[in-house]
Amino acid sequence: MSSHATPIPMTSSACGPLSGVAEVPGDKSISHRSLILGAMCVGETTISGLLEGDDVLDTARAMRAFGAEVTDLGGGNWSVHGVGVGGFAEPEGVIDCGNSGTGVRLIMGAMATSPITATFTGDASLNGRPMARVTDPLALFGTQAVGRKGGRLPMTIVGAAEPVPVRYVVPVPSAQVKSAVLLAGLNAPGKTVVIEAEATRDHTERMLSGFGAEITVEDTDEGRVITLTGQPELQAQHVDVPRDPSSAAFPVCAALIVPGSDVLVPGIGLNPTRAGLFTTLREMGADLIYENERTEGGEPVADLRAKFSPDMKGIEVPPARAASMIDEYPVLSVVASFAQGQTMMRGVKELRIKESDRIDAMAKGLRANGVEVDEGPDWWAVTGLGHGNVPGGATCASQLDHRIAMSFMILGMAANAPVSVDDGAPITTSFPIFEPLMARLGANVARVTA
Ligand code: S3P
């Protein structure tokens, strides 16, 4: 679990051209959902390509605590013998979700309509994040929650013994909230309806349908209306987890800013609810090509080829695109530092309540490395210095946030002086092979030993 990891200071310095093939790990969102949905089926679900990062391993442990048999078969292959919808057992101990907001929020939803009680905790980052966004809609099913001030973990959830179905308009653009309500709706009789004004990642809807639930999605004037019929018998499946576009973002962005680079990142899902970064980079003038476009498991997939792009321009990122690239703004801000002119990012207040306040974490670190950043409550703007002009040279606080740590490591690859982070340990939550993968491409990322 990441909760007690010892800090790992890291540094990244200029390197020659990055080249080769970057096979990034499985998608974090789909990995969590495969374990949770597998645990809610009767029978054996098999999973290949599971992301074996700390966040997902914490979810695997949690599913065992709720009674599922979860087995690591080696090589990214896992087996889950589930307990069926409504079959969760009461865990004996506290459920520690480490650093993972997705893990804790989805699991709270999944257990919320069973007559059991569970207590959740996490690391310092997760214990500071708001949970009322999930416990408020869960209360409509009849679920009770008692946490610390401000709806923070540690928190005890008392599942509804006689849940009722709900109709809920999600007030913030959040796939975690939407998914928690849908997973709770699985064990409520009748139809649970979730409405989102802005489309967020739709893995839960797609996977629920794949596991045999009756679920419909309609685009209306109110937004996306998702209707789930409760108490289905989910069908155990094989899930082949695609590679994570949010992890692909790091080698792609590194290749765009390191002179002479040419990197292929194969098999990346381009589900429109996840691919906003790549569209944005192309609008900035990135040499980023989709090769071998195909459909796999009903999802658009391509091999991404990214080449050094010295002439990128700052742009205004459309706020309507925010949900489809919400995890990629930190690394986008690094690329924006090497572009010409300003990159303006609006409609992104959700960034302030991720694993860290990501606007604050990136703004402080970029400024320390010589890049001008302006910010407001729900926007920020990076003034690009152009290729070859980013000073670097500073140590940045990663604030227990994997994506902040990796973003600054990417900055160091093309800045004029090395860039360091105080703690790269959180990288293992989502991208445990980040260091060897970047090293194989030719990057100089090193752990700093005292
Ligand atoms: C996720 C949803 C997003 C994202 C997170 C993964 C998911 O969070 O930031 O990394 O798997 O549902 P929000 O729902 O809070 O936007």
Side-chain angles (χ1 to χ4, degrees), residues 28-29 33 102 105 133 173-176 201 326-327 354:
K28 181 155 71 69
S29 296
R33 288 161 172 80
T102 307
R105 291 179 175 138
R133 54 178 46 207
S174 168
Q176 292 175 0
R201 66 192 67 195
I326 196 67
D327 289 335
K354 294 292 179 185

Side-chain angles (χ1 to χ4, degrees), residues 27-33 55 100-103 105-106 129 133 172-180 200-204 244 246 274 323 325-328 350-351 353-355 358 402-403:
D27 189 282
K28 181 155 71 69
S29 296
I30 296 176
S31 292
H32 282 294
R33 288 161 172 80
D55 278 9
S100 182
T102 307
R105 291 179 175 138
L106 267 55
R129 296 179 69 184
R133 54 178 46 207
V172 285
S174 168
Q176 292 175 0
V177 175
K178 167 180 67 177
S179 302
T200 62
R201 66 192 67 195
D202 60 358
H203 306 302
T204 303
D244 198 328
S246 298
R274 293 292 298 282
M325 54 180 288
I326 196 67
D327 289 335
E328 284 67 73
E350 284 290 303
L351 287 181
I353 49 167
K354 294 292 179 185
E355 286 82 330
R358 286 182 167 160
H402 52 132
R403 300 200 199 283

Side-chain angles (χ1 to χ4, degrees), residues 21-28 30 203 241-252 263-272 274-279 281 288-296 298-306 324 328 431 437:
V21 179
E23 295 194 327
V24 302
D27 189 282
K28 181 155 71 69
I30 296 176
H203 306 302
V241 180
R243 297 183 197 278
D244 198 328
S246 298
S247 295
F250 294 100
V252 163
V263 169
L264 185 72
V265 190
I268 300 303
L270 294 175
N271 177 322
R274 293 292 298 282
L277 172 73
F278 306 125
T279 307
L281 292 171
L288 173 61
I289 293 168
Y290 300 164
E291 295 182 351
N292 192 14
E293 286 184 63
R294 57 205 184 267
T295 303
E296 279 177 15
E299 300 263 357
V301 169
D303 304 334
L304 307 183
R305 182 174 290 280
S324 70
E328 284 67 73
F431 200 159
L437 180 142

Side-chain angles (χ1 to χ4, degrees), residues 133-207:
R133 54 178 46 207
V134 169
T135 54
D136 285 352
L138 295 183
L140 305 174
F141 289 98
T143 308
Q144 291 168 272
V146 183
R148 290 190 306 132
K149 203 160 65 183
R152 318 272 154 172
L153 302 180
M155 178 175 273
T156 296
I157 305 284
V158 182
E162 290 179 23
V164 291
V166 312
R167 183 177 197 280
Y168 189 64
V169 181
V170 186
V172 285
S174 168
Q176 292 175 0
V177 175
K178 167 180 67 177
S179 302
V181 178
L182 289 171
L183 292 173
L186 277 176
N187 199 35
K191 292 190 192 300
T192 285
V193 179
V194 183
I195 299 160
E196 57 177 4
E198 280 175 56
T200 62
R201 66 192 67 195
D202 60 358
H203 306 302
T204 303
E205 298 90 302
R206 287 174 187 251
M207 291 179 76

Side-chain angles (χ1 to χ4, degrees), residues 87-98:
F88 275 178
E90 187 163 274
E92 283 184 14
V94 172
I95 303 295
D96 188 342
C97 289

